[in-house]
Amino acid sequence: MTSGLQDFDCIKKAVASKTGKKKDRKMMAKPKNVELDQCVIKWYQQQCASGVMVHGTELKMSAERFASNIGLQGFKASEGWLYRFKLRHGLTCKKVYGESLDANEEVIDQYCKEVKDLIQREGLLLEQLYNADETGLYYRSIPENTLASEKEKSVPGRKLCKARVSLLCGANALGSHRLKPLVVGKEKQPRCLRGMMDSLSVHYDHSVKAWFNVKVFKNWIFKHAVPEIVRFQMEVMKVSREQVRALILLDNAPAHPPASELVAKHGRIRVKFLPPNTTSLIQPMDQGIIVAFKRLYRRRFLEEVMVVVDEEERNVGQLTLQNLKNYNLRSVMHNISWAWNDVSSSTLANGWNCLLHRTEPVVDFLGFEADNFHHQFVKSGENTTVDDINN
């Protein structure tokens, strides 16, 4: 009876600490060698605490090494042993995101203090503090996952479209002024954009691989960003031309020239670089702003190419593929502009929380509320209500 209570307590403790793979586990199989199991899990925890990534191969090697050290004869760390070990301790394979382990918290705190002191010393307003960041956009990429019957072992697919452009987004710390996005493609004058370059809702530039380089970036700073900042401060903030000031925070990308080469308006508009390996933690555009933009762009893109209801009863799948084929850079420019303008001002402002206030950002995914999904369901012929979606 006592042994049963002890087992129950062990299971309850494992579930509470979420170390088990299944919360409804009724049995907990003990390892054949408890000492070896404890050595391996302690080694694993030490590696993780040091920021070292551990794979299954390393776990098996460490187990065999520990087995040799404690005199355990005939032990072999097989795939079956690894499976049971991971099951006992609730270990799963996960993808590693970001570069936060390379960041130095002391450097971040010092940089944030420098920015605050600079704002106070020069009397800068939040409207005069900007951040801009580059990102890649696979603008014709359709979802890789799909719904399928449980009876189907696999789902046939098509070659993924890797058409890509580079994109630069920027805005001020109050979220009241968003700079017009810059799109970088491969062609100097795409055929679908001929005669429209001056009337585009975004800026367009080109490079051999559709990547940012020093020439493209400097052209954006002096021909687009600075004039837009001056115009906003004079027309909206009612500041005289001589009093226009701005500080643009940038990361240390190879395409960015030295700060001394990015000074305009007699030093009143200049840039300050972020410390290395800190963009994932404090760069405002990386705190959910670009993610929100890409989700909005993807929703707009799918709405445009995916055919849900065809009144003439033609092949819906073929129509979708034809729409995808006809989706060109002109459509990309329009949807980029739409998505960027639909990123809420609160999301733009909250992206600065980590840098200015050392608090977590709050992302408002505008366009993903229940009403929006209800509209899409009704459009596709589904009879549902907003309450159904909320529930």
Side-chain angles (χ1 to χ4, degrees), residues 233-341:
Q233 294 193 16
M234 291 180 63
E235 296 178 0
V236 179
M237 297 178 61
K238 305 302 179 182
V239 173
S240 65
R241 185 177 293 272
E242 291 73 21
Q243 293 179 328
V244 170
R245 291 177 299 169
L247 178 65
I248 306 174
L249 303 183
L250 301 172
D251 58 23
N252 296 84
H256 298 164
S260 58
E261 299 180 16
L262 300 175
V263 180
K265 298 298 176 183
H266 304 289
R268 295 192 302 271
I269 298 179
R270 55 195 179 89
V271 306
K272 183 177 177 61
F273 288 110
L274 295 163
N277 302 322
T278 60
T279 57
S280 61
L281 296 177
I282 60 174
Q283 174 154 247
M285 288 295 148
D286 281 348
Q287 308 305 311
I289 296 176
I290 289 180
V291 171
F293 158 77
K294 286 188 173 182
R295 288 190 181 185
L296 289 166
Y297 171 84
R298 194 173 183 82
R299 184 168 74 92
R300 181 78 171 203
F301 161 69
L302 293 176
E303 284 179 353
E304 189 165 323
V305 301
M306 301 289 279
V307 178
V308 180
V309 178
D310 179 32
E311 295 179 355
E312 299 182 8
E313 297 183 356
R314 292 176 292 177
N315 191 320
V316 171
Q318 291 299 323
L319 287 174
T320 297
L321 293 175
Q322 187 61 40
N323 288 346
L324 188 62
K325 199 173 185 179
N326 295 335
Y327 190 81
N328 55 26
L329 271 179
R330 182 169 57 186
S331 302
V332 174
M333 303 293 187
H334 174 72
N335 288 336
I336 285 176
S337 175
W338 177 89
W340 180 237
N341 290 329

Side-chain angles (χ1 to χ4, degrees), residues 190-207:
R191 183 178 300 176
C192 61
L193 298 179
R194 288 178 183 173
M196 301 175 53
M197 301 297 285
D198 295 332
S199 60
L200 290 175
S201 53
V202 301
H203 300 303
Y204 180 80
D205 209 332
H206 71 285
S207 66

